[in-house]
Amino acid sequence: MSRLPEAGGLRHNPNRPPFVIVGSKTVRDTRISYRAMALLVFLLDQAEGWQVRSDQLAKGEGREGRAAVRTALRELATHGYYRLERRRLRNGKCVMGTAVSGTSVPQWVEDHKIFSTVSNPAVPVVEQEDGTFLVEYPDGTLGSDGFTPDTHDEEPAADPEPEPEEEPAAEEEPPAAPPKPARRPRRTPAQKAADDAEKEAEAKQKAEEKTALDQAAEEVAKWWWAHAEEHLGKYVGKNNGYVAMRSQVRKALEVGYTQRQCANALLAARKHFPSAQQWQNALGVASNHIIPSQTNGRAPYSDAATWGATPDASPKGPASTDAEDTDDATFGVVTRP
């Protein structure tokens, strides 16, 4: 069980020894950068209860700026090594804290996908009677926080009673040692060159896909920002409103929504920078997964929905929304294949 000197301090998973050990699997995790790896090792070397602050981590000779530190922390959180927690304690107080793990925790990866947003990346956890924490999900249920059992506080088991001596058995020949595994043959220079070329091609393809995705998101965001300022007025929200809106569009494109659907979703939301829930609802409307709400609170009438489809009924298209009927809704960006 992890006991924190301060309620909002750092939690370790699992209990760390008095020195830093980083497993080979973590060291060889190519999903995280060397910068993030070094920051992870530094955090693992801190005592539980230590306050993790990006401005403090950025201070000192040889350190990088706060923006670089925050980028590395987000990278570690995405891949299950670190997370920001909003802790509700047993006394009713709520504090912010952090957790770190020397190995990637699959549960943390899934929780990051569920809870991480631009405005609030913290995972809500609730303290239990024994001092542990459980994650509180949006539907109100509680689940594991992904921590491994803490064995450092357990009492050692008593020595077992000696068993009565038995008469020595007849000597047997020792079992034959298992054969040593065959060594992996060394790669020839040609094989190494072919493997390197394949990796380089994969990296190039990923870079091209990322660039295309960034460009597509920028096209939609740039168009919408100009359209919104013309029809909704100048934006007066947070300074990073445009960047956050562009990030929403990029995530939507990344999971399969088209540029046209993203444009229609922004028109349906009618916000310079819609909230996460508004954006998700608008995408549902734009992709025909959600029937758009009417001004009178009723869904549009449909013969098929009321009487059932008939063989001689001619197919009709879905009812148009206000965004589709508006001349200003024309989106002048060619959709990527």
Side-chain angles (χ1 to χ4, degrees):
M1 177 174 61
S2 178
R3 298 184 178 89
L4 301 181
E6 295 185 22
L10 182 69
R11 292 203 296 156
H12 277 279
N13 177 40
N15 254 10
R16 70 180 185 92
F19 43 85
V20 178
I21 295 179
V22 181
S24 295
K25 186 175 181 180
T26 298
V27 173
R28 298 178 184 275
D29 191 345
T30 57
R31 300 173 303 170
I32 58 177
S33 63
Y34 288 133
R35 171 195 291 168
M37 181 75 66
L39 184 57
L40 173 62
V41 173
F42 182 81
L43 293 177
L44 291 172
D45 193 44
Q46 306 308 313
E48 287 204 330
W50 190 75
Q51 299 292 329
V52 179
R53 294 188 177 91
S54 57
D55 54 348
Q56 188 67 29
L57 290 171
K59 291 180 180 178
E61 185 177 355
R63 304 303 185 194
E64 299 184 90
R66 186 172 62 175
V69 171
R70 288 181 174 177
T71 299
L73 289 175
R74 285 195 297 269
E75 191 177 336
L76 293 174
T78 300
H79 299 294
Y81 292 97
Y82 168 87
R83 75 177 179 195
L84 182 64
E85 297 178 333
R86 186 173 67 254
R87 299 171 185 161
R88 190 169 79 237
L89 307 179
R90 283 175 290 174
N91 60 10
K93 293 183 178 180
C94 288
V95 297
M96 298 300 294
T98 53
V100 65
S101 174
T103 56
S104 177
V105 183
Q107 184 65 46
W108 292 12
V109 176
E110 295 303 316
D111 291 344
H112 180 77
K113 294 178 182 177
I114 295 173
F115 294 103
S116 179
T117 62
V118 175
S119 59
N120 184 17
V123 176
V125 296
V126 182
E127 187 180 18
Q128 304 301 299
E129 291 295 331
D130 59 357
T132 59
F133 291 85
L134 294 177
V135 177
E136 185 176 21
Y137 290 98
D139 60 359
T141 59
L142 298 177
S144 170
D145 65 350
F147 269 58
T148 56
D150 184 351
T151 58
H152 289 262
D153 296 336
E154 296 178 0
E155 296 183 359
D159 295 333
E161 295 183 0
E163 297 181 357
E165 296 184 0
E166 298 181 357
E167 295 184 0
E171 294 185 1
E172 298 181 358
E173 295 183 1
K180 294 183 178 180
R183 288 187 176 183
R184 183 178 178 182
R186 288 187 176 182
R187 293 183 300 169
T188 64
Q191 290 173 331
K192 186 176 183 300
D195 292 343
D196 292 343
E198 183 179 356
K199 291 180 180 179
E200 184 177 353
E202 291 178 357
K204 182 178 179 181
Q205 182 180 357
K206 289 182 179 179
E208 290 176 350
E209 292 175 353
K210 180 181 181 300
T211 300
L213 195 61
D214 290 340
Q215 290 176 349
E218 178 66 23
E219 289 174 354
V220 177
K222 186 177 180 180
W223 164 82
W224 170 245
W225 206 252
H227 180 89
E229 290 201 342
E230 180 181 354
H231 296 275
L232 303 180
K234 292 290 185 180
Y235 178 71
V236 293
K238 294 182 179 179
N239 294 335
N240 63 345
Y242 176 82
V243 176
M245 178 271 296
R246 183 181 61 192
S247 176
Q248 286 181 327
V249 172
R250 192 188 188 284
K251 287 182 179 180
L253 293 173
E254 191 173 4
V255 299
Y257 290 97
T258 65
Q259 286 181 298
R260 168 61 61 187
Q261 289 172 334
C262 290
N264 288 340
L266 289 166
L267 288 168
R270 294 188 62 79
K271 302 283 185 182
H272 288 79
F273 169 37
S275 68
Q277 188 62 54
Q278 290 169 338
W279 177 235
Q280 188 63 58
N281 290 344
L283 284 173
V285 173
S287 59
N288 295 326
H289 287 88
I290 299 176
I291 299 176
S293 59
Q294 305 299 307
T295 54
N296 57 5
R298 298 179 181 177
Y301 177 79
S302 169
D303 283 338
T306 305
W307 306 105
T310 57
D312 58 347
S314 59
K316 297 181 180 180
S320 62
T321 63
D322 293 339
E324 294 171 339
D325 292 337
T326 304
D327 291 337
D328 296 329
T330 302
F331 176 53
V333 175
V334 178
T335 305
R336 295 187 297 112

